[in-house]
Amino acid sequence: MGITRRSALIAAASSLLTVTAACGAPDNNSGGAGGDSNGEVPDKPKKAVALNVLDVAGNLQLTQGMIDEFVKKNPDVISRVTYSKSPAPELAGKIKAQQNANRVDIGLVLTGVDGLSAGIDQGLWLDVLPKFQSRLTGMNNYLAPAAAMQKLAGNAGVTVTYYPSGPLLEYLPATVSTPPTSAEELLAYAKAHPKKVQYARPSNSGPGRTFLMGLPYVLGDKDPKDPVNGWDKTWAYLKELNQYVDYYPSGTSETMKNLANGSAHIIASTTGWDINPRVLGTVPKEAKVTSLKGFHWVTDAHYAVIPKGVSSDTQAAVLALLAFMLTPQQQAKAYDDGYFYPGPAVQGVQLSDAPQKSQDAIRDYGRPEYESLIANNPTEVPLDAKALVAAFDRWDREVGSGKVKQG
């Protein structure tokens, strides 16, 4: 499978800020098709449900195998499952329309921070916690950074996959014999090699966004969580780097192609964007990555949420499914082909537990140095939606203005 990366990830955060108050939140007592969403939720549905799953984060690449196995083993809980995908910015409107029509037929949504936040802001999701936490015992086994990402979900979302993300820099050793290992060295390389350092527009690129959020830690800025008042060094650095940047691609895929064809020497990357494009052959296998002195991981996760309005039977089925997905045996499938590397959100899951296809891909295209990089560098949760929108807006106005191009 190709990289169905959340290209629009967090761009949806801007949509949550522009939603008018008139939209309001759906009535907690509104019943969905098939029953009262606020009724008692049994441990098991009275009859098997047909479950519709909507993915706005590319998460099915990691979890569809888990879901399919649950359905196969539990036909008395879920009779069949239907999958659909949608851009993250369309999620809130799609769910809201169904709730307003009192016909919610999407029982499970798989989303990133963007769709999660937009739905929380508009009151679209059922509170799974703390009411049902006793059914989701796997949550007690989260990796520490995944547990930190879970806090972003409040009571609504359940973390199902996690990765440390970046920011990393990727290059071809035949082109860059001595890669930069500090922000100063990266700037010096860009100055000596104009138009050869590249990252995509942050609002539409995971690596671009992670590079933007990671720089304040690298540069020792006043407040890495406050792009408005705490990023003086970061904005000055990005503007200086901008002098030597030819253009900013609108998405990450173009930067990968430019690295492969030599028009870019150094690009922003993450663990998943490093491994998966090399598995797919988009980027040469021999590409390398480096981090910058003072680097902190800016983490990422995918969440499962249940829309308000679904029946009690559907809630019961989804809770049973999520409990299954959070077992170590199922979490091992999240290694995939390195798309969200490593991928598992719970402790104690080794690559040797993963399907052979995943083991082969990571063995051939993974990096031994990731183990120490993950173990020995701090992890930080991303900016919240409001701060991230402010960062995107300022970058668009003061850094990327006139230089963003569609590939």
Side-chain angles (χ1 to χ4, degrees):
M1 285 179 282
I3 297 180
T4 52
R5 187 61 75 171
R6 311 165 298 291
S7 321
L9 184 67
I10 304 294
S14 28
S15 73
L16 77 88
L17 294 180
T18 56
V19 173
T20 63
C23 287
D27 185 342
N28 284 346
N29 294 316
S30 63
D36 178 7
S37 71
N38 224 26
E40 278 302 310
V41 178
D43 290 334
K44 182 178 177 180
K46 292 185 288 292
K47 58 180 285 188
V49 303
L51 181 65
N52 294 321
V53 178
L54 174 63
D55 176 22
V56 300
N59 179 261
L60 284 172
Q61 185 159 325
L62 311 173
T63 60
Q64 184 170 340
M66 307 177 195
I67 300 171
D68 288 345
E69 183 170 341
F70 179 85
V71 174
K72 182 178 179 180
K73 289 182 173 180
N74 299 274
D76 55 335
V77 177
I78 298 177
S79 59
R80 61 182 174 84
V81 61
T82 302
Y83 299 109
S84 60
K85 299 179 182 181
S86 177
E90 297 177 7
L91 172 62
K94 186 184 293 282
I95 298 297
K96 182 70 179 175
Q98 290 191 4
Q99 290 171 337
N100 286 344
N102 201 31
R103 290 188 58 83
V104 179
D105 63 10
I106 296 171
L108 172 63
V109 175
L110 301 169
T111 180
V113 177
D114 50 354
L116 169 77
S117 300
I120 289 174
D121 184 68
Q122 297 182 54
L124 305 184
W125 313 133
L126 284 170
D127 280 348
V128 173
L129 308 174
K131 183 176 181 181
F132 300 115
Q133 190 152 1
S134 62
R135 303 193 193 188
L136 303 172
T137 55
M139 295 183 72
N140 300 326
N141 197 34
Y142 278 145
L143 296 162
M149 290 299 292
Q150 176 60 34
K151 290 181 180 178
L152 291 181
N155 292 329
V158 175
T159 301
V160 290
T161 51
Y162 156 81
Y163 90 130
S165 191
L168 301 170
L169 300 177
E170 192 164 354
Y171 63 96
L172 297 180
T175 304
V176 182
S177 56
T178 307
T181 57
S182 69
E184 295 76 18
E185 289 178 5
L186 176 61
L187 192 61
Y189 187 93
K191 185 174 182 179
H193 304 83
K195 304 181 180 180
K196 298 301 182 182
V197 173
Q198 192 172 82
Y199 63 99
R201 184 188 184 192
S203 63
N204 205 39
S205 165
R209 180 176 65 257
T210 306
F211 180 66
L212 178 67
M213 291 189 288
L215 271 179
Y217 298 100
V218 170
L219 297 171
D221 241 326
K222 182 171 64 177
D223 185 354
K225 298 295 188 191
D226 184 358
V228 176
N229 301 306
W231 283 19
D232 290 349
K233 294 178 181 178
T234 296
W235 294 121
Y237 182 89
L238 289 170
K239 290 174 185 177
E240 190 170 358
L241 180 63
N242 182 58
Q243 299 176 67
Y244 314 111
V245 173
D246 181 25
Y247 77 103
Y248 299 96
S250 60
T252 312
S253 294
E254 187 179 348
T255 69
M256 295 290 157
K257 293 174 184 175
N258 290 344
L259 177 67
N261 67 31
S263 58
H265 290 178
I266 297 173
I267 63 171
S269 193
T270 64
T271 58
W273 274 102
D274 161 38
I275 296 173
N276 196 238
R278 290 188 298 117
V279 172
L280 298 175
T282 306
V283 172
K285 183 177 182 179
E286 63 268 21
K288 299 291 185 184
V289 295
T290 185
S291 58
L292 300 177
K293 182 180 177 181
F295 138 89
H296 291 211
W297 293 103
V298 179
T299 60
D300 202 357
H302 288 158
Y303 302 93
V305 292
I306 304 174
K308 290 178 179 177
V310 302
S311 70
S312 297
D313 274 355
T314 297
Q315 292 178 55
V318 170
L319 290 168
L321 169 62
L322 295 180
F324 179 81
M325 291 170 67
L326 289 176
T327 60
Q329 181 182 9
Q330 296 305 312
Q331 283 283 297
K333 294 175 182 175
Y335 277 101
D336 185 57
D337 289 339
Y339 168 74
F340 213 61
Y341 183 83
V346 304
Q347 301 177 52
V349 183
Q350 305 300 321
L351 180 59
S352 58
D353 301 322
Q356 190 61 49
K357 180 175 181 289
S358 296
Q359 293 187 43
D360 293 345
I362 304 303
R363 182 193 64 230
D364 293 342
Y365 295 91
R367 301 194 186 278
E369 62 264 36
Y370 277 154
E371 187 172 345
S372 61
L373 269 177
I374 292 170
N376 298 324
N377 289 279
T379 58
E380 311 290 346
V381 296
L383 296 178
D384 63 31
K386 183 177 180 180
L388 197 57
V389 169
F392 289 163
D393 179 64
R394 185 162 178 180
W395 187 92
D396 284 343
R397 286 186 289 106
E398 299 184 10
V399 180
S401 179
K403 282 191 171 184
V404 175
K405 296 181 183 177
Q406 188 74 36

